[in-house]
Amino acid sequence: MKVTRAALPFLPFCERLLPSRPAGLSLALLKATVLEIAILAGHLLLYPSGITQERRAPVPALPADGAAQLPTEAKPPVLLLHGFIDNRSVFVLLRRSLAQHGRQQIETLNYSPLTRDIRAAAELLGRRIEELCERTGAGQIDVVGHSLGGLIARYYVQRLGGDARVRTLVTLGTPHSGTRVMPVADAHPIVRQMRPGSPVLEELTLPAPDCRTHFVGFWSDLDHVMDPPETACIDHPDLTAQNVRVTGIGHLALPVHPAVANGIRQVLDTARPGEPSTEHTAGLTVA
C-alpha cells in the first residue's frame, strides 16, 4: 500500500491504518483493524490489573509421601516481557495457553514506562532471569518478548552474555532493524533507540560468535507499528534464527491470538539451538 508524505508527522501512521481511498481498504486489513480496536479496548480494561509486579511463584514441592511419579520431560521456565508503555496484563491469554499445555513455571517482568534506555532494561532483565534460575533450579529459561520487550531480551542475549541463560527467545512484532512509524514519538529516548541506525541497533549488528540462544521472530504483514513490517524479522549471520510470517492480524493481536499462541507453544516445545534457520517466508495464516 503506497503512502504519500504528509505535513503532520502522525498522518502516515493514520493512513496506514485507515487509507483515504476505499478501494485500498482490503477486507483483510479491515478485519485486522477491527480486531486491533477490540483488543485495545479489552487491554485498556485489563491494564490496571498488571501495573504492579506479580508475586514470585514458589517452586512446586515434591509429594510428602514420597510416592513414585511417572517420569516427565522437564520444561524450562518461561519469562514474558511486554512492550513499550505496556505491562504484564497483555499476556493473560498467552500465559493461560502455555499453562494449559504443560508449562508450570511462567512469570512476567514489568519494566517502567519511564525506562529511557534499552541497555538498562536488559540489565534489569538479566537480574530477574538470574533470580528465576536460582529460585527454580533451572539452568536455562525461555523468553517471549512482545515488541520492545523482544528487543530488550535480544540485547541481553547478544550483548550481556544472556545466551548462557536463554535457551529460546521468541519475539513478537519486534523492531529488530528499527521502525520508522510515528516520528512524533521521537521525543522519548527509548523510541529513538528503536529507529533504524540507532547506536543500540548498530550494537546488535556486531558479531555474536557462538551465540547459544535459538531465536524465533513472529512478524505480521499487517503490523502497522513495524514500518516496514519485515523489520520484525531477525537477520544476523551469527544467530540461529527462524522467522515466522503471520498473515491477517496486527501488532496488538500478536500476543493474544490463539493461532499465534499455538505457534509459540510449538516453537518452545521443539526449537533447539543448532537447528537450521528457515526463511522469513514461512507463514502462519490466522485470518
Side-chain angles (χ1 to χ4, degrees), residues 186-236:
D186 283 353
H188 197 296
I190 210 165
V191 173
R192 294 197 296 272
Q193 291 184 333
M194 290 190 283
R195 296 305 189 200
S198 74
V200 168
L201 294 186
E202 287 299 312
E203 285 187 58
L204 294 179
T205 67
L206 296 175
D210 304 318
C211 183
R212 291 161 281 187
T213 299
H214 180 73
F215 295 81
V216 181
F218 284 78
W219 69 284
S220 173
D221 53 2
L222 295 180
D223 186 340
H224 298 300
V225 177
M226 298 297 105
D227 182 15
E230 293 82 3
T231 191
C233 294
I234 303 168
D235 184 14
H236 192 292

Side-chain angles (χ1 to χ4, degrees), residues 8 20 30 41 65-66 83 89 97 113 117 123 172 183 210 217 219 226 246 276:
L8 297 178
S20 57
L30 177 61
D65 57 7
S89 63
S97 176
D117 186 13
E123 292 175 359
L172 309 173
D210 304 318
W219 69 284
M226 298 297 105
V246 182

